[in-house]
Amino acid sequence: MLSTKIEKSLNNQIKIEAESSQIYLAMASWAEVQGLSGVATFMYVQSDEERDHELKLVRYINERGGHAKISALVAPSIEFGSFKEMFKTLLEHEIFVSQSINKLVDITLKEKDYATHNFLQWYVAEQIEEEAQARTILDKINLIGNDKGGLYLFDNDIKQFTTNKP
Ligand code: OFO
């Protein structure tokens, strides 16, 4: 059985994962309109993954006798300036999510909820991977600079990030 505090904190994380999915969907749509089809494909996959993270939490809360509550979401931005700025925003958002997961882990220890602590380890590992991926992509973008040919290749290459995932 989940304590009220843990249930509330996990429900808050559901909202964060759902908002992440919406943010990446908005990025996918923006990239598609810009003609960056590879970036759009990547972002559509990221959006789906965040929805999976949300569902995993919903199922866990209900399985442990709590009630996963689906709430209203903050609307994402619909313009992202340049694709470099968009990936910077993505990295900053992933860092924010990692901090939120860390706080959750901390609460589970204070509440002595070792089952939820164990459940959250998957999210800890996922955040390490997602932050590292965002940094790798930003490094590549910095290498390209303003080179149009480089951008074309980047847009093509980024699809591999979606197919190389375990
Ligand atoms: Fe939900 O994995 Fe990143 O944000």
Side-chain angles (χ1 to χ4, degrees):
M1 192 74 188
L2 297 171
S3 71
T4 310
K5 187 164 185 185
I6 297 273
E7 184 177 344
K8 208 172 154 213
S9 308
L10 289 171
N11 267 307
N12 181 54
Q13 192 62 33
I14 286 183
K15 185 169 183 278
I16 290 175
E17 300 294 342
E19 284 173 352
S20 303
S21 179
Q22 293 291 88
I23 292 168
Y24 299 156
L25 185 57
M27 288 179 173
S29 177
W30 180 83
E32 197 158 56
V33 169
Q34 307 296 312
L36 296 164
S37 65
V39 174
T41 302
F42 174 82
M43 288 298 179
Y44 279 126
V45 171
Q46 294 303 304
S47 174
D48 283 347
E49 284 188 9
E50 297 303 340
R51 160 113 176 132
D52 286 345
H53 302 170
E54 178 194 1
L55 283 182
K56 219 173 155 75
L57 281 157
V58 168
R59 298 213 176 96
Y60 178 76
I61 294 173
N62 292 341
E63 190 179 279
R64 299 287 316 283
H67 181 190
K69 299 183 186 88
I70 309 306
S71 61
L73 305 176
V74 173
S77 301
I78 51 169
E79 299 289 342
F80 297 95
S82 67
F83 82 112
K84 180 175 176 175
E85 279 169 44
M86 186 179 76
F87 278 102
K88 271 192 192 162
T89 305
L90 181 142
L91 175 60
E92 279 159 19
H93 184 72
E94 286 303 331
I95 292 170
F96 158 75
V97 175
S98 299
Q99 286 165 348
S100 174
I101 295 287
N102 285 347
K103 276 186 211 150
L104 250 175
V105 170
D106 199 45
I107 294 168
T108 60
L109 289 178
K110 286 191 177 116
E111 296 276 303
K112 297 192 177 7
D113 183 343
Y114 302 114
T116 304
H117 182 269
N118 187 46
F119 166 76
L120 288 173
Q121 295 314 302
W122 183 88
Y123 287 84
V124 172
E126 179 71 10
Q127 283 311 122
I128 292 172
E129 196 190 300
E130 289 192 340
E131 273 190 43
Q133 178 175 262
R135 287 195 176 90
T136 304
I137 292 171
L138 271 174
D139 286 347
K140 284 188 193 295
I141 292 172
N142 285 329
L143 279 176
I144 296 167
N146 292 325
D147 179 42
K148 287 257 184 294
L151 172 58
Y152 177 81
L153 287 176
F154 170 82
D155 188 53
N156 204 35
D157 279 1
I158 194 167
K159 289 178 200 154
Q160 90 193 18
F161 280 96
T162 58
T163 48
N164 281 351
K165 286 208 122 188

